[in-house]
Structure formats: C-alpha cells, structure tokens
Amino acid sequence: LLQTGFGLPSAERQMEQLSTVQREQIWNLSDCSGPEAERSLEGILDTNCFRPDWSTDVRVLCPTLARFNHSCLPNCQQAWDGDQGTMRISACTQIQEGDELCIDYIDVRQSRDQRQFELRQKYGFECSCPACAATREGSDERRINMAKFDQEIGIASPERCLQIVGSLLQLYDDEHLQLQALR
C-alpha cells in the first residue's frame, strides 16, 4: 500500500521501506503511460492508483485491488476506510460463483463512445463489458442524464432535489447500476 500526495513521503522513499515481495508486486502491475520498455514507478502509479477523496491530490496504490478488471456495469466497488488506512472492496450486486469481480475505472455515467475513448486513452483497451457489448435503447441518454442530474443536485431547491433523487434512482435501476457511491 503506497500513498502519494502533498505532504507525504515520495513514492520512491516508500518503496524502499517495502519488502522485496511487496516491491515485486508493484513492479508487476501495468504501466499504461508509455511503451513497455519505458516502465516507471510514476507510470504504474498513474495507471493503478485510486483517489480516496476527489477533493485532494492523495492517491493510494493497493496492489491486489489494482488487479481487478474494469466494467461499466461493475459488481464490486471500492471505498477508502480512513480510520484503518485501507481500501475496502465490497459487492454491490449479487455475484454468482465463477463471476469475475469487476470495478469501475472511470465515471460510468457517460455515453458508450465517451467511456470507450477514455478507457483507450488512459488504459489502452476497449471495453467489452455487458454494458458496452450490448446496444440497449436509450442507455447513453440515461447515463448522460445521471451525470447532469448529479450536477444539478448541488444547486437545486429542496423540492427539486427530491425529484432529482427519484429520477436518479430510477435511471440507476434502468441501467442496472448498483454502485452505492452513486446512490
């Protein structure tokens, strides 16, 4: 577990404190920032870190969680436990034996094309999750509306907020998105 950000020791210094096995786990993670021959600690961090709080520049690297694949219809979610200083993973849907455990790497409240573009740019892959593989009537519009409603909530009147929350919950249900962070 590495943490980077203002006021924290450098990632290089933290790496020095880790065991050989822990350092090897980190160096075995993906680096999507450039050619394979130019792998760097910064590239590994850029590819694999999570932000426990979007209001700060702190990033957390959890080597096990970094191995989870992406889905625009994830069945797991991650959350930072500040008291324990650890990233927690939990199921957000029913998971059957043999199902792959997936998280979201990006904001999934975008159109399919926008999601594909962002995943190609940052991670170098095209998503083939159920939400991207199947074209569902109105899915892009529903996902875009989720983001619009979410932005509106901060400035709306209390009465309008109640309407928005009801609409958001319906959109999440229609898209089968069960991420508690969105609800």
Side-chain angles (χ1 to χ4, degrees):
L1 177 71
L2 293 180
Q3 293 187 43
T4 64
F6 182 74
L8 295 170
S10 71
E12 290 81 6
R13 176 158 287 156
Q14 292 179 61
M15 283 286 282
E16 292 170 2
Q17 305 301 314
L18 298 176
S19 71
T20 303
V21 171
Q22 289 171 316
R23 285 194 302 272
E24 189 174 298
Q25 279 183 313
I26 292 171
W27 282 111
N28 284 330
L29 294 173
S30 295
D31 176 351
C32 296
S33 65
E36 183 67 27
E38 298 176 23
R39 291 173 49 80
S40 68
L41 181 56
E42 189 60 34
I44 290 169
L45 295 175
D46 286 345
T47 303
N48 296 283
C49 276
F50 297 91
R51 290 196 184 279
D53 178 356
W54 286 101
S55 65
T56 71
D57 70 339
V58 173
R59 300 181 305 169
V60 177
L61 177 64
C62 303
T64 302
L65 186 54
R67 293 285 183 191
F68 280 61
N69 283 327
H70 166 82
S71 175
C72 298
L73 200 57
N75 57 12
C76 293
Q77 59 193 13
Q78 67 275 7
W80 177 249
D81 182 338
D83 294 337
Q84 296 294 315
T86 188
M87 190 68 79
R88 301 219 182 263
I89 188 84
S90 60
C92 57
T93 64
Q94 287 288 98
I95 300 173
Q96 302 301 315
E97 185 176 336
D99 286 352
E100 179 180 17
L101 303 178
C102 296
I103 58 173
D104 56 321
Y105 293 179
I106 61 169
D107 186 348
V108 296
R109 298 168 304 168
Q110 306 176 68
S111 71
R112 180 187 182 281
D113 289 343
Q114 290 168 315
R115 296 189 314 266
Q116 293 289 356
F117 177 79
E118 188 173 341
L119 290 166
R120 265 191 312 276
Q121 290 295 109
K122 176 146 184 168
Y123 300 102
F125 73 89
E126 187 162 318
C127 185
S128 59
C129 75
C132 290
T135 306
R136 291 183 41 230
E137 185 71 32
S139 180
D140 281 353
E141 184 178 347
R142 284 189 295 272
R143 287 180 183 247
I144 291 167
N145 282 335
M146 289 174 196
K148 286 179 184 176
F149 282 146
D150 192 54
Q151 289 177 341
E152 186 183 344
I153 249 175
I155 57 173
S157 69
E159 295 82 17
R160 177 69 181 136
C161 279
L162 288 175
Q163 292 172 339
I164 293 170
V165 167
S167 297
L168 275 170
L169 291 173
Q170 185 61 57
L171 289 169
Y172 295 144
D173 288 345
D174 292 346
E175 284 297 300
H176 308 288
L177 276 173
Q178 300 300 318
L179 292 167
Q180 294 307 305
L182 297 178
R183 291 178 168 264

